[in-house]
Amino acid sequence: KQEVTQIPAALSVPEGENLVLNCSFTDSAIYNLQWFRQDPGKGLTSLLLIQSSQREQTSGRLNASLDKSSGRSTLYIAASQPGDSATYLCAVRTTDSWGKFQFGAGTQVVVTP
Amino acid sequence: ETGVTQSPTHLIKTRGQQVTLRCSSQSGHNTVSWYQQALGQGPQFIFQYYREEENGRGNFPPRFSGLQFPNYSSELNVNALELDDSALYLCASSSSRGQYGYTFGSGTRLTVV
C-alpha cells in the first residue's frame, strides 16, 4: 500500500527566501506524481506533474524533482513571496492504482513580508 | 476552456439525510474522480469513473455511490449521512485516466449536524 509523507507539516520563512518542500513515498512503482497548492477552504490548483520517466519539471519559480529509487520528490520555490502562502500537497499515483492518487497531508507554508 | 465546476459550494444536512453533489468535468476530459478531505488532512480517494463506468474505489462504504453521465459530468451521492461525513468533497477530471494529470474543482463543503 502506497504511503505518502510530507515533512515538515508547517514552515514559515521571510519573503525572498527559497522554499524546499519534501515528499516521500513507500512504493517506487509510480505512474506519475503531481504537486498541488491549496488555499484555505478552497480546491486544489495543479502546480507541476512529473511522469515516472522524468527527473524534474520546471515552471517559472517552481522546480520539482523526482527520485523514484529513494522514494522522494522535492518542490523548490525560488524567491518566495507572501502570495506563496498556502498548503502544498504531493500526490502519487502508482502503476496499479487505476487513477487513484495517494496524497500526503501537506505542508502549510507562511511567507512573512 | 472551462475548468472543473462543482455545485453546490456549501451544504448543511442533518444526520441520516441523503445528499447529492455535482461535478462538471473540464472540456475534453472523460475521467472523473471524487475525493473527501477532512480538516487538516490530505484528500482521500472515494472512487473514479471512466466513460460512465466505475473503475476504482477507495475504502468508503456502499452508502457512497456515484454516476457519470454521457457528457462526462458526475454525481456523488451519500446516503444515511453521519457526522464524520462533514468534509470538503473534491471532484477531479482528466483525460485518458489521468495520464496527463488531474484538474480539481473548488469543492463542496458539506456540514452534517
Side-chain angles (χ1 to χ4, degrees):
Chain A
K1 180 192 168 189
Q2 179 74 272
E3 293 183 7
V4 180
T5 305
Q6 291 187 248
I7 294 173
L11 186 59
S12 180
V13 298
E15 182 177 4
E17 268 200 16
N18 296 330
L19 284 164
V20 180
L21 308 179
N22 297 302
C23 171
S24 61
F25 47 92
T26 55
D27 184 350
S28 62
I30 72 168
Y31 186 81
N32 55 33
L33 182 149
Q34 199 163 355
W35 281 94
F36 295 91
R37 167 189 171 134
Q38 186 172 34
D39 293 296
K42 304 294 185 183
L44 307 183
T45 300
S46 178
L47 298 175
L48 291 167
L49 170 71
I50 309 178
Q51 301 291 355
S52 63
S53 59
Q54 298 174 318
R55 295 298 299 267
E56 67 176 351
Q57 279 287 344
T58 298
S59 176
R61 295 186 294 114
L62 276 57
N63 173 277
S65 66
L66 174 64
D67 183 343
K68 286 192 300 180
S69 61
S70 65
R72 283 197 230 168
S73 177
T74 303
L75 178 66
Y76 301 90
I77 303 177
S80 61
Q81 304 168 358
D84 294 328
S85 298
T87 296
Y88 292 83
L89 293 155
C90 163
V92 178
R93 180 183 163 188
T94 48
T95 52
D96 62 348
S97 66
W98 290 95
K100 167 188 172 182
F101 267 132
Q102 188 67 40
F103 279 85
T107 295
Q108 185 176 17
V109 171
V110 174
V111 181
T112 54
Chain B
E1 178 182 276
T2 58
V4 177
T5 305
Q6 292 187 244
S7 63
T9 54
H10 295 86
L11 202 51
I12 300 175
K13 288 286 191 178
T14 303
R15 189 172 49 183
Q17 285 188 316
Q18 177 265 344
V19 68
T20 297
L21 310 182
R22 294 180 175 82
C23 172
S24 294
S25 58
Q26 182 168 312
S27 176
H29 286 184
N30 55 19
T31 304
V32 173
S33 302
W34 286 91
Y35 288 80
Q36 180 195 66
Q37 186 179 25
L39 209 57
Q41 298 182 20
Q44 298 292 315
F45 177 76
I46 302 174
F47 44 56
Q48 174 170 283
Y49 280 84
Y50 172 65
R51 293 186 175 177
E52 301 179 59
E53 298 277 339
E54 183 183 298
N55 76 337
R57 189 177 182 93
N59 294 325
F60 281 81
R63 59 190 185 84
F64 285 78
S65 63
L67 281 174
Q68 187 179 31
F69 299 100
N71 65 355
Y72 303 128
S73 65
S74 178
E75 286 183 355
L76 165 65
N77 299 291
V78 186
N79 293 322
L81 283 166
E82 302 176 359
L83 296 179
D84 284 349
D85 295 332
S86 295
L88 181 67
Y89 288 84
L90 295 163
C91 170
S93 75
S94 68
S95 59
S96 303
R97 287 185 285 187
Q99 181 177 1
Y100 305 109
Y102 284 78
T103 301
F104 278 77
S106 298
T108 293
R109 170 70 63 187
L110 173 65
T111 302
V112 182
V113 297

